[in-house]
Structure formats: structure tokens, C-alpha cells
Amino acid sequence: MSVNLSSRTSIRLLHSLMKRSSVYSTGILHHGLTTSSQLSTDKIIVPNRIPRSSTAILEALASTVSRDTSGPHYKYHDDPYLTPASNLVKRTFSLSKEAGRKAARCIRDENASLFTHRPDDPFIEDFFPKTSYTEESNVSEETLHDLIQKCSVSDAITVYHICKSKAVELSDKVRQELLELVSYYNCEDPLDKDWVEERWYRQGVLTVRKTWKDNGLAEELFESLSNRGPAAYSALIRGMAQYLQVDRAWQLYQECREKDIPLDAHTYNSLIRVASYLRDAFELRWQLVKELLTTMAESGIDPNLGTLNSTLEALGQVASWRQARQISLQVLAEFNSLGIQPSLASYYYLLTIHCRERGPISHILIDILDHIEGKEFSVEDPKDTFFFVTAMGISRNHVQSLDVARRVDDLLHTGSNYDLIGDSYKESIYYRHYFGLACSSLTIDDFMLLYQELVPHIYTPEPGVMGEVLRSVGVQEAFEYLPQLWSDMIVFDHTNQERLVTLVLSALSKYRPSQEQEQLTRQLADIAWDIWTRVQGQDETRRQKVSWTGQMIGDLITTLVYCGEYGKASEVMKEANTNAHNVLGAIPITSLHTLNEVAVDKKDADIAVSIVIYALDAGHQEAGEMAKQLQSKLTLSTQNRAKLSSVFGSELLSSP
Amino acid sequence: MMAAALRLSAALRLVLNGYAVRPQHHARAFCKAPPDDAKPVEEVKESLTKKQQENGDKVIILQRPEDSLIDEKLQQNTKKCEETPMKDRPQAFENDKEEKPEQSYDKKIIFQVNHDHHTNERQEASQMGELPVTEGKHDINTDFSCNEKQVRSEDELTMPQDVTVSASKEEQVVKEHSPVEKSDDRRATAQKKLHDLLTSLASADPIPVEPMVRLSRPKARQKKTGTFKEQKKATEQPTESVIEPELVLATKEVAESLGGDVETTESELLSTLRLHSTSTSCDDKPAIQLSDLFVGMKVERNPRKPVKDLPRHKRYDQDTQQSSPRSGVEYQKMWPRATGRPVPRTLARVELFGTEHLDIFNAKSLECKKEAVPTSTLLPVWEVAHKWELQQSVSHPNDNAFTEMIQWTKQGKLWTFPINNEVGLEEEKSVGFHEHIFLEQHLEGWCPRRGPIRHFMELVCTGLSKNPHLTVERKQAHIQWYKNYFAEKEEILKEIGAIETSQ
């Protein structure tokens, strides 16, 4: 669909693209012009061809399509019935789709012998089953090399073992390559490039414990190398540092220094990153980082962006240290003077250092925004994706300014910066903060503009955010939004959240209908009745159930009465009376009064009597007064009279 | 009134103890406050830091001259007692009579101060200058306290807001040695007791006064405090009327609406109000005096509340509601509701790149090197893997069909743009198109120049030249096959005249 939508703009863009490539304009057009006017004077300049990548055209086309906030994401079916809305369904939908692909691939790989027909030229490897390696496979150093280039770790390891058992000679070069690969991935396969959804929904859990496989293949390879040079040491140190085998990484580093083996900047970076695990006191940790940096400078190693980021990360781990802020700025200035531009990850670390939950308020985010506003970023550091979500969190909780949040949001939507949002988890936290801040600082009308723009296709509010929205609707009495919010809550599966249902009901109970709002009144009555039927009809076996409280029933009755649904209100009252054990606490007296008045007006003695009896049972002191009133205003049947006298005693009824 | 006194006592304690936390009951000794009145120390500390100028000064002023005065006085008294023999006791009584009420009051204050020290921290007491306080004296003070209460209560009625004032007033009197003649019979017994005590005191060894006392209190400053007090005295009177009765009423209502300990809340509120009202009447001198006072004092600070070390990796979602469900009120308390107004830049700008450097790396040498050596990677495989992972970390589900096509192109599943029908035909890259098309050259040398064979072979060449599925080698092999075939059949062909005999 997006192709159709954008085709017209794309064609226009293609034209401009071609014009810009100037073969078209200067070459041909210009030539045509000159032949007609002045033939002799102008020389034809044929410009050089601009080499373009195979995806350049597609990228140009893709840049014309912006994210459509009014429709579902491209990965879903563009069909209202099938469009997922709640977070859970979105996730299930996407992952199921991918699971189908996985199943297909699994069948293909397990029955590789059936897929031998290869008519295509050029051969597309992705469409064919993977070669699996067994003990019988004919392997060579070449096979291993290819597998390493493809980053298929488990296959490379298998082939290595086959080579070993078959006594195939492996050169140091290939061993070194394999060492690098297994050090980088810690002997585990990375997530396949095709499983985009899995990566998107995977919660980027940061492990802060040692995961390095001790005495694993990496160390075996390291030992097997005949000549252990800087490359071997660097690979092993980096791997150990990355998977937090800190002590041994440090040991190896010391070994290198003793043996005078030079290491490169990346290796130093990885050591700096883990420096805080080696020392306890804040000061000592920083001292160690400084030592490493000095060693780098002394041995003439050029620092790079990684050095900046790992230094800041090390500082971020001692962020409660008082001097950390000052030092972090010094580090930034130092690297700036070296001509190293910070990446988003550097700014992320700065934010973690300067904006502490318990520390003083720092406005460094504003300064950072002043500096990077309008810039387009590409990923340079794995932590780059943490910037936006952190910045938004700080806008909400630390700076507490919607202005700043808007600036962060603008930056996110600059160029292709949205790629750096990270994953779905970070994205939804980002919007959670944004919504939370907007909800608390905007009027409900302004906030609902934002809400309508982003919900439900970009962001599905979590129950917490929904609660805040409902609360502010209740406080500002913006009842016109309740129908929309309630229908959203239904599709977001929020109707089984007791807290939210309570909030809806308390907002509803404040509604007082007026003449011109007949439709709204009807809608609100429908909502109230919908809540009642939903809660009554909920599955008994459900884990998360809404249980009635007296306040909720009271709000429900009040709403129904004011919306002119007396019959429904009395039904609720009857139910609450008969199944009083299902209701926690008593219905507040104001609601009972409201219903009672209408019951008296409608001369519904049965309900009125039951209300009075309920009020007495609930221990409301006004019960006696209500009974008297009832008697004076209604003519009671003998049955009702008997009921009243049985609870109140006959003297109360006969007294007037 | 009580609140003011309470605040004062709390502040006094605070200063004297160097911000040390004290048990509540000591506060009461000073002003007979109800037991639940003692403010939490944090609060006091806060108010102290806020109002150091007005409040803290007074407190310290109160305490200082007394110490030294009492020293002198006690020595005087003891001397007197020593001089007067037991026989002349009545005479001594007369002498004492003149001074005693004021003196004892002074002592009382000091006693409180010291009482605190004795019961809690002796080391601090030594800083303050320990007085020779004995159990006997304890008695006197308690006995006298009823009298003082009367005297004081008069004072307090007129000046409820500041106990300091009453105390300092009395000091003034003491300093001037103005005899206040009071022929009160009730005091006689009390005075007798005092005398007894003093005599016993004289016989006992006085606890030597530590030299610290003198060091910390230069004489010159006493005069200053005196003048300050005089000035203060002048400004004291109007402060009484600052708090209007409506305000007091309102305070009461507020306190009641807040619930909890209504009295405490009210008194705290009133004390705060008074603080603000007096602050206007205060002169600017205290600023100097406060710093002066602290010169000789060792202020023992409460150790800072240990800041809990946060987990090393502060997760970006640490404060999310899902991780720890909080109630709304609690949540709002933690994060006060933001306002839509732009945040005023109350804090100084953070110069991102403007600060001093670490001075570890030398920028100039780096630049030189950059030009000289293009850096080669030490670990090529590592770099490749790292780059690949980086790219993957920013990949997300495709937004539109174009991005999907980009992805497929990168995976090699799609024709690359711009469309080229020879894409991926690696073997043919080295073969020119002419070799595919102009195949007649391969007929030269064996094919007759004319006739049906030639005609046939030309048709074969045309057909082959149009076949895109065969490689050049295959095409040549085809022609070669015909060549061999015709060579085999040469005899027959010649017979039927398909090949011209060269004659």
C-alpha cells in the first residue's frame, strides 16, 4: 500500500535525483542548448559518473515515505479487523508472523536433501538450506575461513573440531581469526539477521555478571597459537573484558606489559570500560582509568570515540562520586580538542553522570540539545540507542519540562534518527515518559491532541499512563473524552484493571447531564452499563479480575441515575443487595441518597425499601432518616411495611 | 511562645552540640515544653541554616557571655564564701541577697547547657568550658526555678516571641551589677540553701577550667555583643505586635485542617511566622558575629547520611511503573507534577567543551600521526563482527515496502538497482559481447565459401548468437561439432555436390 501511496512522489524524486546526477542535465540538456545557439564557443563537459550503491535509489524512495500515524504499521495487515492495538496483541502478532518464517526455515534446513533443484543464476544462498557439518564432512581451512567471514559461530566451532579430529593442518592465521570470532561472541551464535521482530521485542537486558566461558574454546585457541602476538592478546583481553572476566583480562594485560607486547586502542577501551570492577573506592577507580589513559598516551596509541565512551562509562559507574561531573566535562573537552566528536552514547553517559535521581537538578540535557539539535546521527556505539529514552526520562523526571521533551522528540524525528530509538521496549518507555509528562503539564484538550496522534498505532499506553490520563480527565471533568478512552481501553485490554475501572467510574460519577449533551449522556450511560456487564460477566477462572468495591458500585449507581437509567441503576442495587458478599465495603450514602430520591419520585417502593435496609446494614446513620422520609412520601405496601418494621422496629414507623 | 522557646532551645542544642542529634527530653529542661514538642533535628537544622542570620546568632550570643560571666561570678562567690566565716553567716546572707536572683538565673541557663553536656558528650562540654557543677548546685537550681519562673513568666508575657531576649536582658542586668532589691521572705529559705551549697562548694575542689575556654573567646568581642544587645533591645518591643490575631487564628485553622498533632503544627507555624516578622527588624550585624563565634568552635558535624550506592548500571527504565507499582499519591510525591511553563534556567549553563582538559593526550602529536599513518585494524574479524552487530542493533521492523526492498537487496534476494540483466553473472564478465554474437569467424578455414553447407552454418551461427543461455565455449563447441560432422561426411557431401570440389 505504501508503494502506491508514495509512487507519485517517488517518481518526482527520481527525476530530481537524475537531474542531480548531472549526466542528464549538463550532458544532454546543455548540449542541446548549445547546438541551437552558440555552437563554437562552449566546450562540452561530460561529468564523471557518480557511483551509487545498489540501494541508493531505494533509500531515496524510502526517505519520501514518512511514518503514517493514522494507519497500522507496515508489518501488520492493513485491515481494521486484523490490526492489533494492545501491546500484547501487537507483540503476539509480530512474533507469530516471524515464527511462521522460522518454522518454514526449520523444515527447509531439516530436509536439505529435498531442495537440490537450483535453476537460478546468480545463485541466491539465502533461499537454500544451510550446509550442515558432520564428522563425515569434507572440511578444509578454506571452509573454516568462509564460515568465520559469515560470522556463523557454531558452524565454525564444529568445523574446527572436525579439522582437529581429522588432523587437518590449520594455519595460525585462521586460528587467530577464529579466536577473534569466538571471543567476540563468547562461543555463542548471534541472533540471525532475519529475526528482526525477535530482536525488536527482545528486552535489552544488560547482564552485569561474568558470562565469559572459562577454559573455553577461546582460551584453547589462544594456547594453540604458536606465536602469541599483540593480536592474540588483544582478542582475548577484549573478549574477557566484554564478558566481564575482569580479573583475568587484567592479568593478561599485565602479562602484555611485562612482555612488552603493544596493544591497540580498542583493547585499552575495553579495559577502561571494566576498570570500575577492579577497584572499590570511587577515587581509586578513576585513578585506574587515568592510569590506563596515560599508558595509552605514553605508548603512542591514538584514542578514538570508543576511548571517550568507555571513559565516560567508567565515570558513569562512579556517578555518585562528587567529582564525577567535573571530570566528565574535562574528558569531553579533552577529546573534543583531539578532534573526536562525541556520539549519542557519550551524551547518554553524560546524562547518567549529571542527572542523578538523588542529586541536584542538572540542566545539562538542555546544553546537549543546544549542541546537537537538528543533527542527524548514525550508530557508532552500541549504547547510542540508550540516548533518546534516557533523555526523555530525564525531561520528565529530572528537568520536568515539556519544552525539553518536545526538543528531544524533534531530535528523534530528525532525519533517520528514529532508527536509534533502539527496540520496542525502549520505544514504549520513551513514549511512556513523553505521555506522562504531557499529561501532567498540558490541559486535557491539548493532551488529547497528542493522544489522538500517537495512539494506538505508534504507541499503546500502558495501564499506568492510562490511569494518569483518566485521572486528569476526572479532575478536569472532560467527559467528552471518556467514550474514546473507554473504547481504547477495551481494545488495549485494560478493562480488567481494577484501578483503571475505578478511575473511569469515579470520573463518570462526576458527570451531571445538561440538555445539549444528550448524546454524551447516552454514551456515558452505555459506558457505565458496559462496565457493569463486563465485570459481572468476567471469567471466574481469570487470574486478574475486577472485584467490586462499595465505592465503585456507588459511582456506578450515581452515574446511571444521573444519566437517566434508573432501571439499570436499580438492577445494580438489587444485585449489590443480594450478592453483598461480592462487594468490598459499603456503598457510600451519597449514592444511596441519589438513587433513593429517584426511587421515591418514581414511587418504586420496593427499591426504596431495599435501599433503606441496605443503608442500615451498611451502618449508615442516615438510614433512620431515610426510612421516615420514605414513609411520609410513599404509601407502603404491608409487605414493605413489615420489612421496614422488622429492621427498624415498629415504633419508628408509627411515630409520625 | 512555647514554640519560640522550643525552637530556641533546639537551635541552642544544635549549636552547642555541633549539630549532634539529641534525645528530645533535654529540650524541655529549658522551657517546660510539652513532651511532644521537640522538633525533629532535621527540621531544626533546616530552619537553622535558613535563618542562621536571625536565629543562630542570638542563640550563641546568649550562651557566650554567660560562660565567662559565670566563671567570674562563681569565683567571686566562692571567694566570698571563703572570706566570710561561719559566724558571720547572716551578713553573708545580706551580701548574697543582692545578687542572687539574677545570678542564679544565669547559672540556670548555663546549668542547662552543661547538663546537656554532662549527660551526653563530655568532650564537647570541655570545649564550652566546664563549670564546677556539683550535685548540690543541682538542688539550688531546682529550688530557685520556681522563683525564676515567676520572674520569667512576666517577661514572657510581654515578649513571648523570644526567650533569648529575656535571658539577655537579665544578663545585661547582671553585667551592670545593678542591685535589685527584693525583700521577699519566701526566698530566705532558698537563699539559705544556696549559701550552704556555696560553702560546700568552696570546700570542694573546683574542677579546673580548661584553657580552651579562654582561647575561644577573645575578650574584645564581649563588648561587641553588649552593644549588639543594646541595639536589639531597642528593636525588640515592636516585634510583639507583628503577628495579628487573625493570623494566629488562621494558623490555628490550618493546623487543625492538617490533622495530626494540632498543637505542634500550630506552634511550628507560628514560630515560622515570627521568624519572618522579626527578620525585618533585625539589623545586619549578626552576619559578622556568627562567623566570629564559630572561629574558636569545633563544630562536630553529623556524618552525612550515607548515600546509597545505586546499582552500577542504572537502567533506563528504573523508574518505570511496571517495575514497581506505586500508588498515585506516592508516585506524585516522588516526581512532583511538572508544569507546562518553560523551566527557568536557574542553574548555570554547563559548558560542554569549555572546561579545562585532562591533559593526558597531546592533541598536536595526534594530528601529525593521523596524517602520516592510515590505521589498520589489528583484529579484522572482530571489527567485522562488531560492525555487523552495530548495524543489527539499529535494525527494526520495516516501515514500508522500500525499506523492505533495501533489506532484501542487502541479503541478495533482489535484483539490484539500477536494473542490470547481467547482475551476478560473474563468469561472463570477462567475455565480450562480440564473442557471443559474431560467430562466423569460427567458420573460417573449414566451411565452404558458398553452397548449402555455408548457408546452413550461417543459420547455426545466427541461432547461437541469439541464445542467451549458452556460454561462448558452448557455442564454439556447437560449431566444432558441426565441423567434425561435416568432416566425417565429406565423401558423401562431395558426391552429392554439396561441397564444391576445388577444381
Side-chain angles (χ1 to χ4, degrees):
Chain A
M1 191 190 119
S2 14
V3 184
N4 294 337
L5 271 173
S6 59
S7 61
R8 207 170 300 160
T9 41
S10 334
I11 288 163
R12 212 175 304 144
L13 189 105
L14 264 183
H15 272 291
S16 67
L17 204 79
M18 288 172 101
K19 261 184 216 161
R20 241 177 280 140
S21 75
S22 70
V23 178
Y24 191 56
S25 58
T26 2
I28 302 162
L29 282 179
H30 191 243
H31 179 69
L33 279 172
T34 45
T35 41
S36 61
S37 52
Q38 328 132 320
L39 236 165
S40 51
T41 48
D42 265 351
K43 238 173 109 184
I44 299 166
I45 302 155
V46 181
N48 292 328
R49 175 172 172 262
I50 301 168
R52 297 194 190 277
S53 78
S54 55
T55 54
I57 293 173
L58 287 171
E59 276 159 19
L61 290 173
S63 72
T64 63
V65 189
S66 57
R67 191 147 177 197
D68 177 17
T69 56
S70 63
H73 193 272
Y74 177 68
K75 64 187 172 186
Y76 306 124
H77 279 290
D78 194 4
D79 176 347
Y81 185 73
L82 292 171
T83 305
S86 79
N87 277 323
L88 183 69
V89 181
K90 276 182 184 175
R91 185 188 162 94
T92 314
F93 191 117
S94 316
L95 290 177
S96 316
K97 200 173 159 189
E98 196 156 279
R101 290 208 190 97
K102 278 187 183 172
R105 180 178 285 196
C106 177
I107 288 170
R108 187 195 68 189
D109 286 345
E110 289 193 350
N111 303 290
S113 57
L114 302 176
F115 298 92
T116 47
H117 181 56
R118 294 185 175 184
D120 48 349
D121 188 20
F123 175 64
I124 299 171
E125 205 190 344
D126 268 35
F127 289 160
F128 287 91
K130 266 191 188 165
T131 4
S132 56
Y133 296 93
T134 57
E135 286 295 322
E136 290 79 41
S137 312
N138 195 13
V139 292
S140 67
E141 192 178 318
E142 198 60 32
T143 337
L144 190 55
H145 179 76
D146 288 346
L147 285 171
I148 291 168
Q149 291 305 320
K150 278 189 266 177
C151 290
S152 48
V153 181
S154 55
D155 281 346
I157 292 171
T158 320
V159 170
Y160 170 76
H161 285 305
I162 296 167
C163 287
K164 224 166 83 175
S165 63
K166 286 190 176 175
V168 178
E169 272 298 307
L170 290 175
S171 69
D172 263 11
K173 187 172 167 285
V174 110
R175 278 170 197 275
Q176 168 67 29
E177 282 177 348
L178 187 60
L179 170 62
E180 287 169 32
L181 187 73
V182 296
S183 300
Y184 187 82
Y185 287 113
N186 197 19
C187 305
E188 278 163 7
D189 263 333
L191 191 63
D192 194 285
K193 63 179 185 304
D194 283 340
W195 310 141
V196 181
E197 295 292 350
E198 195 177 332
R199 185 175 285 109
W200 178 247
Y201 282 105
R202 183 172 61 173
Q203 298 195 354
V205 183
L206 300 166
T207 44
V208 276
R209 55 189 179 83
K210 189 201 81 149
T211 43
W212 175 257
K213 293 196 169 76
D214 282 318
N215 303 319
L217 182 64
E219 287 166 53
E220 184 189 322
L221 282 165
F222 180 74
E223 294 299 325
S224 73
L225 286 172
S226 56
N227 180 23
R228 274 169 245 154
Y233 273 99
S234 291
L236 199 59
I237 290 176
R238 283 193 208 176
M240 282 178 172
Q242 186 164 324
Y243 294 97
L244 296 180
Q245 177 46 282
V246 182
D247 294 328
R248 298 195 46 210
W250 188 252
Q251 214 177 315
L252 280 173
Y253 168 67
Q254 295 298 346
E255 208 175 308
C256 287
R257 297 201 62 182
E258 277 166 28
K259 292 182 182 168
D260 222 11
I261 298 170
L263 299 171
D264 70 339
H266 287 283
T267 313
Y268 275 101
N269 297 349
S270 61
L271 283 169
I272 290 168
R273 186 165 286 128
V274 297
S276 15
Y277 296 93
L278 292 158
R279 299 280 186 277
D280 285 328
F282 293 159
E283 196 122 20
L284 293 177
R285 290 185 191 175
W286 172 242
Q287 210 58 45
L288 188 67
V289 173
K290 231 168 151 182
E291 268 171 38
L292 282 165
L293 287 172
T294 319
T295 320
M296 273 179 88
E298 278 167 2
S299 30
I301 298 160
D302 304 338
N304 51 24
L305 177 67
T307 319
L308 169 62
N309 285 346
S310 45
T311 310
L312 287 175
E313 184 176 350
L315 270 174
Q317 284 160 355
V318 296
S320 36
W321 185 32
R322 221 177 295 166
Q323 289 181 52
R325 291 151 203 264
Q326 189 52 36
I327 293 174
S328 69
L329 291 178
Q330 285 177 8
V331 170
L332 204 65
E334 169 96 4
F335 279 84
N336 188 49
S337 72
L338 299 177
I340 294 165
Q341 283 303 312
S343 76
L344 283 182
S346 325
Y347 295 122
Y348 157 70
Y349 291 127
L350 275 186
L351 289 180
T352 58
I353 293 167
H354 285 258
C355 304
R356 309 288 295 170
E357 211 172 291
R358 266 162 260 194
I361 304 288
S362 164
H363 284 184
I364 194 167
L365 177 59
I366 299 169
D367 296 292
I368 291 174
L369 284 174
D370 286 344
H371 191 70
I372 60 176
E373 207 147 52
K375 276 192 198 169
E376 204 174 320
F377 287 90
S378 58
V379 65
E380 289 175 277
D381 190 285
K383 285 279 176 71
D384 276 357
T385 52
F386 285 69
F387 174 77
F388 285 108
V389 61
T390 312
M392 190 51 84
I394 282 166
S395 315
R396 181 193 185 188
N397 298 330
H398 198 84
V399 190
Q400 294 174 357
S401 154
L402 188 64
D403 264 11
V404 178
R406 286 224 168 100
R407 288 175 71 184
V408 173
D409 197 52
D410 285 343
L411 183 68
L412 179 69
H413 289 96
T414 305
S416 58
N417 283 354
Y418 204 89
D419 287 351
L420 293 162
I421 190 73
D423 50 39
S424 84
Y425 188 55
K426 293 198 191 82
E427 189 188 41
S428 79
I429 292 167
Y430 174 88
Y431 280 114
R432 186 188 304 169
H433 287 316
Y434 193 24
F435 267 59
L437 182 61
C439 185
S440 57
S441 42
L442 289 177
T443 61
I444 192 71
D445 295 313
D446 291 335
F447 172 74
M448 285 311 280
L449 289 180
L450 180 74
Y451 181 93
Q452 268 140 13
E453 188 192 339
L454 297 178
V455 176
H457 296 305
I458 307 290
Y459 167 63
T460 305
E462 292 88 350
V465 176
M466 202 46 132
E468 277 189 46
V469 178
L470 287 173
R471 207 171 290 128
S472 71
V473 164
V475 168
Q476 305 184 30
E477 306 201 340
F479 303 107
E480 63 273 21
Y481 297 117
L482 276 175
Q484 189 200 346
L485 288 175
W486 178 249
S487 63
D488 277 353
M489 281 174 66
I490 293 170
V491 290
F492 299 159
D493 283 340
H494 286 172
T495 48
N496 51 6
Q497 302 268 340
E498 189 172 320
R499 201 165 60 84
L500 295 186
V501 173
T502 313
L503 280 170
V504 173
L505 282 172
S506 78
L508 281 174
S509 69
K510 292 179 190 155
Y511 178 68
R512 299 290 175 268
S514 62
Q515 284 298 321
E516 60 267 23
Q517 287 176 314
E518 267 177 39
Q519 199 197 345
L520 181 64
T521 311
R522 208 169 47 246
Q523 281 176 327
L524 295 188
D526 286 347
I527 293 174
W529 190 244
D530 189 33
I531 291 174
W532 171 254
T533 46
R534 267 172 198 280
V535 174
Q536 287 300 99
Q538 64 188 339
D539 189 1
E540 285 299 312
T541 54
R542 252 193 111 105
R543 199 153 43 88
Q544 198 180 27
K545 273 195 301 188
V546 180
S547 50
W548 289 116
T549 63
Q551 184 66 42
M552 283 161 81
I553 295 276
D555 287 342
L556 185 63
I557 289 174
T558 313
T559 314
L560 286 172
V561 169
Y562 277 111
C563 293
E565 298 281 357
Y566 169 72
K568 286 172 178 172
S570 54
E571 200 177 312
V572 172
M573 188 64 226
K574 265 183 216 157
E575 183 68 24
N577 230 344
T578 47
N579 288 325
H581 59 278
N582 284 339
V583 180
L584 197 71
I587 301 173
I589 189 68
T590 47
S591 307
L592 293 177
H593 265 309
T594 317
L595 184 60
N596 194 35
E597 274 168 30
V598 184
V600 169
D601 281 353
K602 299 213 175 209
K603 310 239 179 290
D604 190 347
D606 291 346
I607 290 294
V609 167
S610 71
I611 293 167
V612 171
I613 292 172
Y614 182 91
L616 184 74
D617 286 347
H620 291 305
Q621 291 178 350
E622 295 87 341
E625 202 56 42
M626 284 165 84
K628 277 183 193 167
Q629 199 190 6
L630 209 68
Q631 208 192 13
S632 62
K633 286 190 181 170
L634 288 179
T635 45
L636 298 172
S637 67
T638 43
Q639 204 180 354
N640 281 333
R641 217 166 237 289
K643 264 191 202 168
L644 279 183
S645 56
S646 70
V647 287
F648 285 101
S650 51
E651 66 276 3
L652 180 108
L653 294 171
S654 54
S655 59
Chain B
M1 180 177 80
M2 275 189 320
L6 177 72
R7 191 192 68 234
L8 183 71
S9 70
L12 176 66
R13 265 190 298 129
L14 210 68
V15 175
L16 293 182
N17 303 331
Y19 303 120
V21 183
R22 282 300 163 98
Q24 292 186 357
H25 61 267
H26 294 292
R28 262 173 277 139
F30 202 86
C31 57
K32 307 281 191 287
D36 47 2
D37 261 1
K39 280 189 198 176
V41 175
E42 284 86 359
E43 209 178 316
V44 175
K45 206 189 274 182
E46 195 186 283
S47 76
L48 182 78
T49 45
K50 247 195 264 167
K51 284 113 192 177
Q52 254 173 355
Q53 297 298 317
E54 315 122 51
N55 194 18
D57 281 5
K58 287 178 211 159
V59 173
I60 296 155
I61 294 155
L62 165 76
Q63 158 265 318
R64 251 174 19 82
E66 284 155 17
D67 278 2
S68 42
L69 274 174
I70 287 292
D71 278 338
E72 288 161 25
K73 203 139 275 183
L74 265 172
Q75 275 160 10
Q76 259 184 20
N77 275 343
T78 42
K79 243 187 233 164
K80 240 182 240 165
C81 290
E82 277 165 337
E83 278 166 17
T84 48
M86 293 300 270
K87 285 179 242 164
D88 306 337
R89 237 179 165 183
Q91 246 188 340
F93 255 74
E94 290 302 306
N95 278 342
D96 280 342
K97 237 184 200 171
E98 295 169 4
E99 298 174 34
K100 243 159 217 170
E102 295 82 26
Q103 191 191 347
S104 59
Y105 179 55
D106 256 351
K107 271 179 198 156
K108 168 117 196 318
I109 298 170
I110 293 309
F111 171 69
Q112 243 94 48
V113 169
N114 282 294
H115 183 70
D116 264 7
H117 291 295
H118 279 287
T119 48
N120 291 292
E121 278 154 49
R122 274 178 180 282
Q123 49 178 126
E124 276 168 30
S126 70
Q127 284 167 20
M128 298 304 306
E130 220 168 79
L131 276 173
V133 180
T134 57
E135 284 303 306
K137 202 183 166 200
H138 207 300
D139 284 344
I140 295 176
N141 276 306
T142 42
D143 284 346
F144 266 89
S145 61
C146 53
N147 287 337
E148 287 153 23
K149 244 197 318 191
Q150 285 176 344
V151 176
R152 276 178 65 200
S153 61
E154 284 162 23
D155 271 345
E156 279 162 357
L157 280 172
T158 48
M159 293 165 217
Q161 76 280 18
D162 220 337
V163 175
T164 327
V165 173
S166 63
S168 56
K169 221 170 143 193
E170 302 241 323
E171 271 164 47
Q172 204 75 29
V173 181
V174 174
K175 223 185 263 171
E176 289 159 17
H177 289 272
S178 66
V180 183
E181 286 290 330
K182 284 188 181 173
S183 56
D184 209 339
D185 284 330
R186 283 186 299 159
R187 288 192 182 172
T189 48
Q191 279 170 344
K192 197 178 173 229
K193 265 186 184 173
L194 176 68
H195 192 264
D196 282 334
L197 183 91
L198 285 173
T199 43
S200 70
L201 205 103
S203 59
D205 273 352
I207 298 165
V209 176
E210 290 196 23
M212 270 290 279
V213 182
R214 309 252 172 248
L215 279 175
S216 59
R217 284 169 198 79
K219 292 260 175 192
R221 238 178 290 132
Q222 267 187 9
K223 219 176 174 182
K224 235 183 188 174
T225 53
T227 55
F228 169 59
K229 241 163 238 149
E230 272 156 22
Q231 282 178 353
K232 230 181 118 194
K233 224 177 167 184
T235 56
E236 263 155 18
Q237 298 303 329
T239 55
E240 212 268 30
S241 57
V242 168
I243 301 174
E244 290 103 348
E246 297 102 296
L247 207 56
V248 176
L249 247 159
T251 319
K252 198 168 188 172
E253 275 168 27
V254 168
E256 271 162 10
S257 71
L258 280 173
D261 195 345
V262 178
E263 269 184 13
T264 321
T265 325
E266 194 193 345
S267 63
E268 275 171 17
L269 283 171
L270 278 173
S271 71
T272 323
L273 275 173
R274 281 198 195 95
L275 217 69
H276 285 294
S277 61
T278 49
S279 68
T280 49
S281 61
C282 258
D283 52 355
D284 47 6
K285 262 197 174 172
I288 323 156
Q289 295 198 332
L290 181 72
S291 57
D292 283 352
L293 278 161
F294 278 113
V295 165
M297 263 171 118
K298 252 197 230 166
V299 178
E300 186 187 295
R301 284 182 193 284
N302 227 11
R304 283 175 164 272
K305 261 192 184 171
V307 178
K308 230 180 160 186
D309 205 353
L310 288 172
R312 277 174 178 172
H313 284 276
K314 192 197 170 204
R315 282 193 56 163
Y316 49 84
D317 58 337
Q318 214 178 28
D319 50 10
T320 55
Q321 294 153 21
Q322 282 183 344
S323 56
S324 58
R326 306 178 179 114
S327 73
V329 181
E330 220 177 326
Y331 192 74
Q332 278 173 3
K333 230 185 259 172
M334 279 192 81
W335 308 115
R337 280 173 95 77
T339 52
R341 283 174 280 122
V343 174
R345 288 299 295 259
T346 45
L347 297 172
R349 282 182 66 88
V350 182
E351 281 296 328
L352 286 181
F353 305 106
T355 48
E356 55 191 293
H357 299 172
L358 275 181
D359 284 334
I360 291 176
F361 295 103
N362 189 344
K364 274 177 193 165
S365 68
L366 191 76
E367 273 166 30
C368 297
K369 251 193 272 170
K370 255 185 193 163
E371 287 157 16
V373 201
T375 47
S376 62
T377 53
L378 186 63
L379 309 176
V381 175
W382 181 288
E383 294 304 321
V384 167
H386 187 62
K387 264 204 192 107
W388 191 78
E389 281 297 316
L390 264 190
Q391 276 315 314
Q392 292 301 309
S393 75
V394 292
S395 74
H396 47 78
N398 294 307
D399 286 334
N400 52 56
F402 293 126
T403 50
E404 195 167 42
M405 282 161 88
I406 292 170
Q407 193 196 344
W408 287 341
T409 310
K410 282 180 178 163
Q411 291 173 354
K413 293 175 183 172
L414 206 68
W415 285 107
T416 53
F417 281 104
I419 294 294
N420 171 10
N421 60 1
E422 287 173 19
V423 88
L425 302 175
E426 299 299 321
E427 287 172 22
E428 290 295 312
K429 263 199 180 140
S430 52
V431 185
F433 80 98
H434 60 279
E435 292 179 55
H436 275 281
I437 290 169
F438 304 120
L439 296 166
E440 274 87 356
Q441 50 173 330
H442 301 293
L443 304 182
E444 303 307 319
W446 63 270
C447 196
R449 296 177 67 88
R450 274 194 309 261
I453 303 264
R454 179 80 197 184
H455 185 62
F456 174 77
M457 282 316 293
E458 275 176 1
L459 285 176
V460 167
C461 285
T462 311
L464 284 174
S465 73
K466 287 181 177 177
N467 189 336
H469 302 293
L470 297 178
T471 58
V472 172
E473 285 76 38
R474 293 273 290 166
K475 288 176 180 178
Q476 286 172 2
H478 266 277
I479 294 166
Q480 200 61 40
W481 184 85
Y482 282 113
K483 181 190 170 189
N484 295 340
Y485 179 81
F486 289 130
E488 277 173 26
K489 312 286 184 210
E490 200 178 1
E491 291 305 312
I492 305 165
L493 292 173
K494 269 183 183 163
E495 269 177 33
I496 60 167
I499 298 176
E500 281 177 27
T501 45
S502 50
Q503 270 163 11

